[in-house]
Amino acid sequence: MEDLVSTFIGQGVLYTRWMIDVSEPGLKALSCAIAIKEKYKNTVAIEITAFPQLGMKESWKRELLEKALQMGADQVSAVPHLEESEEQEDTSVQECFRLAQQYKKGIHIFCDETDNPDSMSSIKIAEAA
């Protein structure tokens, strides 16, 4: 990732948002991103969005997302259309908004990349807002 930041600086990019999957129990990618953000904080503004690529149906996944915010992620995210049921999709959206409010964080939800014409993710997000 540091090579990427060097490329950004060389090209004049001084702001970037990183989407970090926080589905891995050790949160290694997040830890690395936070360390790089800190190292380059006087040169490049790096905004970190934590998202649960594997969904939020199990409580340990929701706990990892919350831990990511506690560690320093700037935004919380969800990927509701990857959940296995409509109920899990609802939970994913609601949990994202709850965590954002609790930790005073921004929200960046992935909802525009599904091939399912019946997906209601965008409506659920609008209703939750």
Side-chain angles (χ1 to χ4, degrees):
M1 283 194 219
E2 285 197 62
D3 289 342
L4 182 62
V5 174
S6 296
T7 300
F8 288 161
I9 294 167
Q11 297 296 317
V13 175
L14 302 178
Y15 176 87
T16 182
R17 178 181 291 166
W18 292 359
M19 308 306 177
I20 305 295
D21 179 7
V22 295
S23 300
E24 181 266 318
L27 296 175
K28 294 174 195 164
L30 177 66
S31 296
C32 181
I34 289 170
I36 292 170
K37 176 181 176 173
E38 179 64 25
K39 181 177 179 178
Y40 290 97
K41 69 181 178 185
N42 294 322
T43 309
V44 177
I46 299 172
E47 184 176 75
I48 297 172
T49 300
F51 78 97
Q53 180 67 43
L54 299 178
M56 284 196 258
K57 71 177 181 174
E58 293 95 353
S59 63
W60 67 269
K61 293 175 184 176
R62 293 187 298 274
E63 290 166 8
L64 283 175
L65 185 58
E66 184 165 6
K67 185 175 180 183
L69 296 172
Q70 293 167 350
M71 290 173 63
D74 303 296
Q75 291 192 318
V76 61
S77 185
V79 192
H81 65 274
L82 294 181
E83 299 291 353
E84 295 176 2
S85 69
E86 189 170 338
E87 181 180 325
Q88 290 171 7
E89 189 175 310
D90 289 341
T91 298
S92 179
V93 171
Q94 293 302 320
E95 186 69 4
C96 185
F97 275 82
R98 183 191 71 75
L99 289 169
Q101 183 175 11
Q102 179 179 344
Y103 289 93
K104 310 271 191 275
K105 302 289 185 173
I107 298 172
H108 180 123
I109 297 179
F110 299 95
C111 65
D112 60 349
E113 56 193 40
T114 182
D115 293 331
N116 178 359
D118 297 322
S119 174
M120 301 296 287
S121 293
S122 297
I123 292 169
K124 291 172 193 284
I125 293 163
E127 290 172 348

